[in-house]
Amino acid sequence: MILGLGFALVSALGTNLSGLFKARGAVLARPVSVRHPLRSAADLFGQRWFAIGWILALFAWGLHIEALALAPLSTVQAILSGGLVFLAVFAERFFGFHLGRRQWVGMTITAAGLAVIGLTATAEGPQRSSLAALIAVEAAILALGVGLVRISTRRDVEHHGEALLLATAAGVLFGVSDVAIKYLTHAHGPIFGLLSPWTLTALISFVISFYASARSLQIGNAVEVIAITSVAANFSAILGGILVFGEPIGTGPVGIIGRLLAFGLVIVGAALVPAPLRATFNRSSSQTVTSC
């Protein structure tokens, strides 16, 4: 359990730092095109900072899988939610972003709410999961993610709205992948795990979220987009932990009320994050970006 939480903490650091690297590279690539997915992927990975970000993200993802195998899903997501604070610090100290008071308050409230939700979960006992609930939750969240991507393509949606829609879609689809991976970590035997339909579900979700996330980073404010993606991913994964794996909403009336209030904090905090955000790269950092 403790080792799993340690993996989750390092994963949170790596995930949010990788997001800032990917954002720096994504804005230099040609716009992501649904009609040319392979060319878009090649353009993105052709940017040094984006490639570095994904190498770091792959390392963080491996630690995430180990954390999911060793600790309850909602507890892992609670640790990952602390990455929002890391994101804010990294963005201001090393990437030249300026966050207003509203953004700091929103990220702090959201991280606190997610932490309360996760840390009030009971210790994980023998693995219990409902296949029917897994199918229902995965189908519903996958449909939501695809629907948000479809809405973002409408001509009357401005760039700011498109970025938020794509960031949310990427987040919930990452959540689909997390729930599927959690299920696979307790599959009976590696061959069954590899041949499971949930492997395909995780792969499809990952591919769609890859392009949605990259496009949102190209047209949106990096910190805002990364934060919304993180909140959506954590929120959907925590719901998956409750509905699919039977992780309790709370222990007793006080615990249940506390967790419901924490869910409210997450919603309020997430609503505060999308606000005007100004990137103030200094001259040296701008030279670094344009040299990629």
Side-chain angles (χ1 to χ4, degrees):
M1 175 74 170
I2 299 299
L3 183 59
L5 298 184
F7 285 149
L9 179 61
V10 179
S11 177
L13 285 166
T15 298
N16 286 279
L17 186 58
S18 72
L20 291 168
F21 281 132
K22 288 186 290 181
R24 180 170 283 188
V27 297
L28 300 176
R30 283 185 291 183
V32 171
S33 173
V34 177
R35 296 181 179 179
H36 304 284
L38 295 180
R39 187 190 71 183
S40 295
D43 287 342
L44 289 167
F45 283 104
Q47 300 299 327
R48 181 179 61 180
W49 288 113
F50 190 89
I52 291 173
W54 266 100
I55 291 173
L56 182 57
L58 185 63
F59 171 73
W61 181 69
L63 292 178
H64 190 182
I65 292 177
E66 289 296 325
L68 289 174
L70 298 172
L73 178 59
S74 59
T75 304
V76 170
Q77 299 307 132
I79 300 298
L80 293 177
S81 69
L84 289 176
V85 178
F86 300 144
L87 170 65
V89 173
F90 289 152
E92 283 210 330
R93 291 289 184 90
F94 305 109
F95 288 83
F97 282 96
H98 171 72
L99 280 72
R101 181 179 299 177
R102 174 185 171 122
Q103 286 74 45
W104 276 106
V105 171
M107 288 190 177
T108 302
I109 290 176
T110 300
L114 288 169
V116 170
I117 292 170
L119 296 178
T120 53
T122 58
E124 186 177 38
Q127 175 65 24
R128 297 182 297 108
S129 61
S130 167
L131 181 58
L134 178 66
I135 294 172
V137 169
E138 294 284 81
I141 299 179
L142 183 60
L144 174 61
V146 173
L148 290 173
V149 172
R150 181 67 183 86
I151 293 172
S152 72
T153 63
R154 294 176 53 179
R155 294 183 179 180
D156 58 342
V157 177
E158 60 180 0
H159 273 347
H160 184 259
E162 181 184 353
L164 294 182
L165 286 169
L166 289 173
T168 305
V172 297
L173 290 172
F174 281 135
V176 169
S177 181
D178 288 344
V179 175
I181 290 172
K182 175 66 176 179
Y183 188 84
L184 290 172
T185 60
H186 292 272
H188 299 292
I191 296 180
F192 173 79
L194 291 175
L195 299 179
S196 169
W198 306 114
T199 303
L200 181 61
T201 301
L203 181 61
I204 292 173
S205 300
F206 173 80
V207 170
I208 299 174
S209 60
F210 168 82
Y211 289 106
S213 177
R215 178 60 179 163
S216 68
L217 290 171
Q218 287 183 330
I219 63 177
N221 294 313
V223 177
E224 178 180 304
V225 164
I226 296 169
I228 293 299
T229 300
S230 177
V231 170
N234 284 308
F235 200 74
S236 58
I238 288 173
L239 286 178
I242 294 172
L243 297 176
V244 176
F245 301 103
E247 297 176 5
I249 297 177
T251 304
V254 175
I256 293 174
I257 293 174
R259 295 195 95 195
L260 291 177
L261 290 175
F263 274 108
L265 288 177
V266 172
I267 295 172
V268 171
L272 290 174
V273 172
L277 183 65
R278 179 168 52 88
T280 56
F281 288 104
N282 57 38
R283 180 171 298 178
S284 61
S285 63
S286 296
Q287 291 173 344
T288 301
V289 173
T290 56
S291 65
C292 295

